[in-house]
Amino acid sequence: MKLFFSTFFVFLLLTLTTKAAPGDTHIVIQTRQTALVIRVDKEQTPTMVHLGIRLKNGTEYGAIPGNGKRGEDYTGIYNSVYTPAGGRNLLEPAIQVTHADGNASLDLKYVRHETSPEANGAILTKVYLKDPQYPFDVTLYYKAYQNEDVIEQWSTIRHTEKKAVTLHKYASANLYIPAQNYYLTHFHGDWASEMNPSETMLTEGIKVLDSKLGTRADLFQPPSFLVALNQPAEEEQGEVIAGTLAWSGNYQLAFEVDPLHNLRIIPGINPYASAYTLAPDTEFTTPAFIYTYSTTGKGGASRSLHRWARKYRIPQGQGNRLTLLNNWEATYFDFNEEKLSALFKDADKLGVDLFLLDDGWFGRKYPRNNDHTSLGDWQENPKKLPHGLGYLVKDAESAGVKFGIWLEPEMVSPKSELYEKHPDWVIKQPNRAEYYFRNQLVLDLTNPKVQAFVYDVVDELMTKNPTVSYIKWDCNAVIYNAYSATLADQSNLYVNYVQGLYKVLDRLRTKYPTLPMMLCSGGGGRVDYGALKYFTEYWPSDNTDGLERVFIQWNYSYFFPSIATCNHVTDWGKQSIKFRTDVAMMGKIGYDIVVSKLSEPELQFSQEALKTYDRIKTTIWQGDLYRLASPYTNDVASLAYVNDAKDEAIWFSYLVKNRYKAGSVAPIKLQGLNPDKRYKVQELNVYPGTRSAINADSSVYSGNYLMTIGFNPQVSARRESVVLDVTEVK
Ligand code: DGJ
């Protein structure tokens, strides 16, 4: 009730503030701290005049001048809210179309807008735009999440022209931001080296980040970025915009510094090979662009995104997760019932919740014993599993662990029964040689029959084995030779593929709303908030080397919360099991090791660590993240999660340099605590047979002290990783 009244009050205020200066309409989209203001002039031209701090007095939005421009805008639409191409526009458009009569111009005039509270507390503003010459409409949607300071923006495009219209470009948003300078942080990489950050000052012209890979679209770079205004991005200070496109296919993020030195950000589906044919009276909905504006640097931006994602986007974002033992690196394709049975017992002995059976369990005519065959033939291999999956599930359960399974349902091996039966279900050019990525091809999810097949693969597995408790959904190949045997318009392929995938996932989530599902894609090939609407967690990288992971996880943490980040302890890298465990704990921990090969102290350490994790996981998953010392500029990387009540912080520090005397030579300042509370600092995950260098009895400090003077976790070559529990003393 209280929520309803406060939402209603904000709604009333917004409705009032939308009627401002004479002749102009000001549309105000607000969150707790941020405002985005659209001005509509007498000619009904909608432009964006503010994205930044929310004003205290809402009536003053009407006084914002045309723009923070610094000179002549020849067109009056450099700051258009959705720049149409082909008219007077001179810059990068948000939308470009060819009408049914062949005319390639578009104008978009303001018609009206509506603002209404949503049941979940967000406020949705719809801005209706129309071409004065054509029955062609665009509606801009802005969903403002009040407490999280996040705006989710998308557009719908519709027309009633006599024939189809071609959409050449159809962005999700078009932001306009004036500042002195712009520093873009983007992330790039490849398999096993995902998310390397690169910060660059934007100069006049256009910088484009994009993907043309189709399925595993984020392999080289994800659709997520940070833009710092005026100064390079800092962790806890300065203006930063964090943005991410909720789309699992080809995307384009265009950053244009215009002739007035103002920044235009145009994110959306990649127009590359995707001129979209839109039939009359049908609606095209763009993916959502999700962004937050922070005055407290990258830290503030990522805490807002995490809160938003946990509450509104990721399934069970505020719920539980299962710890697990995966057999991929323990066995690869080489296993049978007997081996698995022993691994179930190991999983239980270790103390995890679930055993995850990976690749290699299927294929009858072509058994999957390596990665050259069988994708698509989702029936148990009778040689490896003579009693079938049902038997395995029960066997795991009687050993004391739940059972989960790996699938790669969008893919097909050239050597498979599925390919033999349905060659027309495969994406490939009819007159060109096949070209493979990891020896496989992609199924044509634009085809409703293929969508039904993929849905059935999962549904039949779950129907036959209703206690299967986890699915790891892999996706290892990109799209080569893009061509569908059934699609009427080939240039709709990349878009329809992703829409087809979402249709399948939508159906599955409707039937299995609580099933935990991991979004894999050979590592970080598909980490975005389009897919994360359906998946409870994601696999950041196949690279699980503890040291590498400090960096990889650090960079994902700008956008994605720890509860969704699967970190496994494996045999990659040279670090001790303690280091690898401490690193995996800063997210959702899992294991992919041979438990029987662990030494007695290693096993004991792991068992105890899992118990500790169970006790502290809520603070790690739901707490606010503070990145305290960056691995890029320090010997020691350090970060802490602080819970809402501020009575506990879990603090991780890792040695990331190996020069002589490298370590935490000085105290590290904590953040996010209550300055007036008193906290005890205790070390967790102390390795059997060793003693902590932290004396808990004498380690009681005020939050004020810990945040002003700091505390030295005593990281050194002898203590390469340190986990501290900072708890309130009552
Ligand atoms: C790629 C994944 O990232 C791995 O974890 C594993 O599941 C393999 N695929 C299996 O083929």
Side-chain angles (χ1 to χ4, degrees):
M1 201 55 164
K2 208 169 138 204
L3 178 75
F4 174 79
F5 276 120
S6 59
T7 310
F8 183 71
F9 179 70
V10 178
F11 171 57
L12 211 68
L13 199 79
L14 279 167
T15 315
L16 292 176
T17 55
T18 54
K19 294 186 184 112
D24 289 352
T25 305
H26 284 80
I27 306 166
V28 182
I29 291 127
Q30 291 187 116
T31 64
R32 194 167 47 103
Q33 302 203 38
T34 306
L36 185 158
V37 183
I38 296 168
R39 170 177 176 251
V40 182
D41 65 13
K42 290 182 213 75
E43 279 76 48
Q44 309 302 310
T45 304
T47 51
M48 186 173 150
V49 292
H50 181 66
L51 173 61
I53 297 176
R54 171 185 174 146
L55 293 183
K56 289 204 172 99
N57 177 357
T59 58
E60 289 191 324
Y61 287 120
I64 299 180
N67 201 343
K69 292 170 193 160
R70 290 183 269 258
E72 177 79 20
D73 168 350
Y74 297 110
T75 64
I77 56 167
Y78 286 4
N79 60 335
S80 167
V81 282
Y82 202 64
T83 313
R88 66 179 193 262
N89 170 51
L90 297 174
L91 305 176
E92 180 65 19
I95 180 164
Q96 184 184 1
V97 310
T98 302
H99 295 282
D101 66 1
N103 185 302
S105 72
L106 184 68
D107 193 7
L108 289 174
K109 295 291 187 196
Y110 168 83
V111 179
R112 67 192 166 90
H113 71 277
E114 289 164 7
T115 301
S116 56
E118 300 263 285
N120 61 13
I123 293 174
L124 180 65
T125 301
K126 297 183 200 169
V127 181
Y128 296 91
L129 310 176
K130 184 173 180 2
D131 189 316
Q133 298 300 331
Y134 287 90
F136 188 98
D137 304 281
V138 170
T139 307
L140 307 178
Y141 293 77
Y142 299 82
K143 202 184 266 192
Y145 296 87
Q146 299 302 297
N147 291 332
E148 297 73 23
D149 283 315
V150 165
I151 298 175
E152 184 182 2
Q153 183 181 344
W154 71 97
S155 318
T156 57
I157 303 165
R158 165 184 278 277
H159 69 91
T160 49
E161 298 188 19
K162 297 220 162 59
K163 285 191 294 190
V165 164
T166 308
L167 310 179
H168 300 283
K169 184 166 185 190
Y170 32 94
S172 299
N174 186 168
L175 302 183
Y176 196 73
I177 304 149
Q180 288 299 331
N181 286 307
Y182 313 95
Y183 294 87
L184 170 70
T185 304
H186 57 105
F187 302 84
H188 56 92
D190 203 334
W191 177 79
S193 75
E194 292 82 356
M195 292 298 277
N196 298 290
S198 187
E199 186 172 50
T200 178
M201 191 176 98
L202 294 170
T203 52
E204 272 67 9
I206 303 183
K207 165 97 183 167
V208 170
L209 307 176
D210 82 340
S211 167
K212 302 183 183 77
L213 280 65
T215 37
R216 199 178 167 173
D218 308 350
L219 180 63
F220 302 146
Q221 56 188 349
S224 302
F225 66 88
L226 304 164
V227 169
L229 305 180
N230 305 312
Q231 327 279 334
E234 288 191 45
E235 194 51 47
E236 294 296 334
Q237 287 175 40
E239 291 177 82
V240 170
I241 292 163
T244 178
L245 187 74
W247 184 245
S248 310
N250 294 350
Y251 66 84
Q252 185 190 74
L253 310 173
F255 302 84
E256 179 173 28
V257 178
D258 75 6
L260 303 178
H261 199 68
N262 295 325
L263 177 64
R264 310 174 72 241
I265 304 179
I266 305 179
I269 290 176
N270 198 339
Y272 162 77
S274 293
Y276 198 86
T277 309
L278 189 66
D281 238 349
T282 50
E283 189 164 84
F284 185 87
T285 303
T286 72
F289 175 58
I290 293 147
Y291 55 104
T292 184
Y293 162 85
S294 153
T295 51
T296 48
K298 299 185 268 188
S302 53
R303 286 188 289 278
S304 295
L305 284 179
H306 294 173
R307 282 174 177 264
W308 169 82
R310 290 192 300 252
K311 187 160 178 200
Y312 295 104
R313 180 54 58 125
I314 296 172
Q316 288 102 58
Q318 296 176 316
N320 193 26
R321 293 292 183 277
L322 302 171
T323 56
L324 58 85
L325 175 69
N326 192 186
N327 71 311
W328 175 239
E329 291 179 22
T331 64
Y332 293 104
F333 297 98
D334 179 20
F335 56 81
N336 56 27
E337 273 173 4
E338 214 182 331
K339 265 198 190 174
L340 291 177
S341 199
L343 295 183
F344 299 156
K345 291 185 188 102
D346 284 349
D348 182 53
K349 187 162 152 199
L350 184 62
V352 293
D353 302 313
L354 178 131
F355 177 85
L356 171 59
L357 176 60
D358 215 284
D359 196 352
W361 57 268
F362 50 92
R364 291 198 171 152
K365 181 169 172 191
Y366 304 108
R368 175 94 167 161
N369 292 323
N370 55 49
D371 63 13
H372 285 255
T373 70
S374 332
L375 293 173
D377 301 346
W378 301 105
Q379 294 81 33
E380 302 92 327
N381 171 351
K383 263 207 172 141
K384 286 183 188 171
L385 309 176
H387 299 96
L389 275 183
Y391 167 85
L392 273 192
V393 179
K394 285 210 182 72
D395 196 24
E397 287 168 353
S398 54
V401 287
K402 295 176 195 286
F403 184 87
I405 196 157
W406 177 96
L407 288 167
E408 195 175 2
E410 298 158 71
M411 300 289 150
V412 59
S413 301
K415 208 169 170 190
S416 65
E417 290 187 75
L418 182 69
Y419 188 95
E420 286 168 357
K421 213 163 139 201
H422 296 291
D424 57 327
W425 282 12
V426 177
I427 292 181
K428 55 175 183 152
Q429 289 284 355
N431 58 353
R432 295 194 188 276
E434 289 175 8
Y435 192 71
Y436 306 125
F437 195 106
R438 209 201 182 199
N439 315 305
Q440 62 196 57
L441 290 163
V442 179
L443 285 175
D444 178 11
L445 270 179
T446 69
N447 180 345
K449 285 189 186 148
V450 179
Q451 292 166 19
F453 167 80
V454 171
Y455 173 84
D456 288 343
V457 166
V458 185
D459 186 42
E460 276 167 24
L461 189 138
M462 291 305 299
T463 307
K464 277 195 208 144
N465 307 285
T467 59
V468 164
S469 302
Y470 190 90
I471 284 180
K472 175 176 176 182
W473 185 298
D474 212 342
C475 164
N476 284 290
V478 303
I479 294 182
Y480 288 129
N481 289 317
Y483 181 87
S484 157
T486 51
L487 195 61
D489 196 330
Q490 294 300 321
S491 65
N492 290 11
L493 185 143
Y494 284 118
V495 172
N496 286 5
Y497 183 94
V498 181
Q499 290 171 336
L501 171 67
Y502 290 166
K503 271 188 205 158
V504 173
L505 291 167
D506 251 332
R507 277 185 76 194
L508 286 170
R509 266 292 164 227
T510 307
K511 186 153 179 198
Y512 305 100
T514 58
L515 179 67
M517 295 213 289
M518 183 212 273
L519 171 61
C520 181
S521 199
R526 187 189 263 170
V527 186
D528 67 79
Y529 279 120
L532 278 170
K533 195 171 165 191
Y534 306 102
F535 292 88
T536 47
E537 52 225 72
Y538 71 94
W539 181 232
S541 175
D542 275 356
N543 187 341
T544 44
D545 173 306
L547 183 60
E548 292 292 318
R549 271 290 181 135
V550 171
F551 291 83
I552 292 173
Q553 292 167 202
W554 186 271
N555 291 308
Y556 276 111
S557 83
Y558 289 118
F559 308 97
F560 304 101
S562 60
I563 189 167
T565 310
C566 294
N567 304 329
H568 292 182
V569 177
T570 75
D571 281 336
W572 281 55
K574 298 187 184 79
Q575 300 78 29
S576 66
I577 193 152
K578 167 166 165 60
F579 189 94
R580 287 176 277 142
T581 307
D582 290 353
V583 172
M585 268 202 186
M586 62 157 138
K588 202 218 85 168
I589 197 170
Y591 290 80
D592 199 344
I593 46 170
V594 184
V595 177
S596 58
K597 286 195 184 151
L598 294 178
S599 68
E600 194 46 48
E602 284 176 336
L603 179 64
Q604 190 195 334
F605 169 79
S606 307
Q607 290 166 328
E608 279 165 15
L610 275 163
K611 284 187 197 126
T612 304
Y613 184 72
D614 201 45
R615 186 167 58 73
I616 61 173
K617 66 187 184 188
T618 310
T619 298
I620 298 172
W621 292 348
Q622 302 298 332
D624 268 339
L625 169 63
Y626 292 86
R627 286 175 293 260
L628 306 170
S630 164
Y632 291 94
T633 47
N634 297 283
D635 288 354
V636 173
S638 192
L639 54 87
Y641 298 91
V642 183
N643 70 0
D644 262 359
K646 295 186 185 292
D647 58 16
E648 182 174 60
I650 305 298
W651 180 9
F652 298 94
S653 300
Y654 312 101
L655 186 69
V656 292
K657 303 254 159 59
N658 59 5
R659 299 211 51 192
Y660 182 60
K661 281 195 175 168
S664 54
V665 281
I668 295 172
K669 289 178 195 163
L670 271 162
Q671 302 209 32
L673 301 176
N674 180 336
D676 302 325
K677 287 190 172 170
R678 292 187 66 71
Y679 296 91
K680 184 180 233 181
V681 182
Q682 281 169 288
E683 183 161 0
L684 304 174
N685 289 0
V686 178
Y687 198 72
T690 66
R691 287 182 53 196
S692 170
I694 314 289
N695 180 351
D697 293 335
S698 58
S699 295
V700 176
Y701 305 92
S702 68
N704 174 243
Y705 178 93
L706 290 170
M707 293 192 291
T708 311
I709 307 298
F711 181 88
N712 191 335
Q714 308 217 24
V715 178
S716 66
R718 298 182 59 202
R719 284 165 54 79
E720 289 188 327
S721 61
V722 176
V723 185
L724 298 172
D725 191 354
V726 182
T727 26
E728 186 185 358
V729 184
K730 294 208 172 136

